[in-house]
Amino acid sequence: MASFDAIIIGGGPGGYVCAIRCAQLGLKVAVVEGRETLGGTCLNVGCIPSKALLNATHHLHEAHENFGKMGLMGPAPTVDWPKMLGYKDDVIGQNTKGIEFLFKKNKVTWIKGWATIPAPGQVKVGDDIHTAKNIVIATGSESSPLNGVTIDEKTVVTSTGALTLEKIPQKLAVIGAGVIGLEMGSVYARLGSEVTVIEYLDAITPGMDAEVAKTFQRILQKQGLKFILGAAVQGVDTTPTGATVRYKRKKTDAEATLDADTVLVATGRRPYTAGLGLDTLGVELLPRGQIKTDAHFATNINGLYAIGDAIIGPMLAHKAEDEGMALAEILAGKSGHVNYAVIPGVIYTTPEVASVGQTEEQLKAEGRAYKTGKFSFMGNGRAKAVFQGDGFVKILADKATDRILGAHIIGPMAGDLIHEICVAMEFGASAQDLALTCHAHPTYSEAVREAALACGDGAIHA
Ligand code: FAD
């Protein structure tokens, strides 16, 4: 038994960042993690492995589609799937070991095992009860179940199974056209699978700026992905050779089926708080299972806090990290804060898609007077050189003040470009502030500047 200033349950991006910051601020801190390795969903079965596979298959796609256009001749590479999975596992290992190193460096204690909270101020792991002034729940999330669908992680899989399939499916059905479904769908489409995405809504990537979503769908279709939109999945039946997805067209009520070797269920995630003993403690939850917290991440129980996917907000690693850092500052007597208005979202397909702030649809719904500056990557020399002119940067700014309200990018390195706009928004910048900032030539970033110019007197290369 040991006593700490803070015990954090969960070693994912929320938990490990909170722990490291607590230690840096002089607190005695421990993390309880039940997995074999640190890093949570993100490093083990989420962000990192999916990006490794996206990277490998992006190069494969480039070799097949674009090398010849650049005079790079010769046979395109073939896929050694076990080796590709090995590369992915190696990337995971490097990252999870990195967190272990950071724990040692910062003197964060890792208590290995699954935690329960028998009483306020106490954390039980195995037979040991540890005490802490503050307990932080950072237990993350799990895939949401879908009615009529039984997951076996072999034929009918969640994203976790999709990262370790024994072989590349000939036909892959993806249920859900959100970020995870489209990223993994892209991976397998590039590997040669026939990928069909079934989505309940009438558009892909719900919540995304509609113009971006439309362009994104068109580009993905060009890459071979098929979409069945406005369809409600009724169930999935496994067959000797794979599985059959039963779905109903929402408009007509017509029923139809789709056969596949593998079905990926990517219909969202829900907070994971099982086994903590929250019921007995009387911790208040929101209707969708998130732990209810105040603006300082405090639950209704004294000394008990929660962050990351386990609470409300976008289920993103960087949102969890920011909350972890802010809470550590609060626990150390400083003032921690997260600006939820400026949390970027990225989809790591080719092209990448990135957004921050409000969409046009949200601004219209609010009745806000805004202006739009849009610039096509067709006018950007670098984008054309990598065959990615087929996208754009869109900046939305307040009509009267020119203050940037949101930005939406589909194009090369969108996930990196968006941060210039995030910083600008944090400083309350106007579109003109961006437009008057010198941008190096030739860079993709020039498209951001051009979109900012388009909010004013006009872009130059449009
Ligand atoms: P988690 O990372 O889920 O960590 C929680 C940890 O708590 C887990 O390791 C779990 O084992 C542990 N735990 C739970 N209960 C207990 C207990 N009782 N005792 C001990 N340990 C416990 N986000 C992005 O921002 N970018 C991306 O590109 C991205 N890609 C993704 C791709 C996939 C396929 C998936 C599934 C998710 C992706 N995400 C991405 C989301 C991201 O992984 C999560 O938002 C992030 O991991 C949440 O961090 P967290 O710390 O709240 O929880």
Side-chain angles (χ1 to χ4, degrees), residues 9-16 32-35 37-48 50-51 111 113-116 138-143 159-160 163 179-180 183-184 269 272-276 307-310 314-321 346 348:
I9 305 175
Y16 82 70
V32 187
E33 172 55 62
R35 271 179 214 274
T37 48
L38 294 168
T41 302
C42 177
L43 273 62
N44 289 283
V45 290
C47 329
I48 296 299
S50 58
K51 265 78 256 178
I111 303 170
W114 298 99
T116 56
T139 49
S141 60
E142 61 179 354
S143 297
S159 55
T160 303
L163 292 165
V179 178
I180 292 175
E183 286 188 352
M184 293 312 298
R269 295 179 64 82
Y272 179 75
T273 54
L276 287 171
I307 54 172
D309 280 9
M315 286 185 166
L316 292 169
H318 42 283
K319 175 259 192 189
E321 290 183 25
V346 179
Y348 298 83

Side-chain angles (χ1 to χ4, degrees), residues 43-64:
L43 273 62
N44 289 283
V45 290
C47 329
I48 296 299
S50 58
K51 265 78 256 178
L53 291 181
L54 279 159
N55 176 51
T57 57
H58 167 72
H59 290 300
L60 179 70
H61 181 261
E62 286 296 292
H64 280 285

Side-chain angles (χ1 to χ4, degrees), residues 298-318:
T299 69
N300 60 317
I301 307 292
N302 223 355
L304 184 65
Y305 301 83
I307 54 172
D309 280 9
I311 69 170
I312 203 162
M315 286 185 166
L316 292 169
H318 42 283

Side-chain angles (χ1 to χ4, degrees), residues 51 54 69 226 244 273 320 365 399:
K51 265 78 256 178
L54 279 159
K69 295 179 198 163
K226 294 184 182 138
T244 301
T273 54
K399 193 156 196 170

Side-chain angles (χ1 to χ4, degrees), residues 210-280:
E211 203 179 354
V212 173
K214 225 168 134 188
T215 305
F216 189 30
Q217 185 182 338
R218 183 174 49 73
I219 292 174
L220 290 176
Q221 276 166 338
K222 247 166 70 181
Q223 294 174 5
L225 280 86
K226 294 184 182 138
F227 290 94
I228 299 171
L229 302 179
V233 169
Q234 308 293 299
V236 175
D237 307 312
T238 46
T239 63
T241 53
T244 301
V245 183
R246 287 179 281 109
Y247 63 92
K248 204 184 236 186
R249 296 273 185 188
K250 279 194 317 182
K251 267 190 200 133
T252 57
D253 255 5
E255 293 190 7
T257 58
L258 175 73
D259 293 330
D261 309 303
T262 307
V263 178
L264 164 60
V265 182
T267 46
R269 295 179 64 82
R270 64 179 183 186
Y272 179 75
T273 54
L276 287 171
L278 300 188
D279 275 4
T280 322

Side-chain angles (χ1 to χ4, degrees), residues 37-38 43-46 48-53 56 81-97 160-165:
T37 48
L38 294 168
L43 273 62
N44 289 283
V45 290
I48 296 299
S50 58
K51 265 78 256 178
L53 291 181
W81 180 232
K83 200 158 182 190
M84 195 180 281
L85 292 179
Y87 147 74
K88 178 240 343 167
D89 290 340
D90 189 48
V91 174
I92 296 173
Q94 286 178 37
N95 281 278
T96 56
K97 283 195 192 79
T160 303
L163 292 165
T164 52
L165 289 184

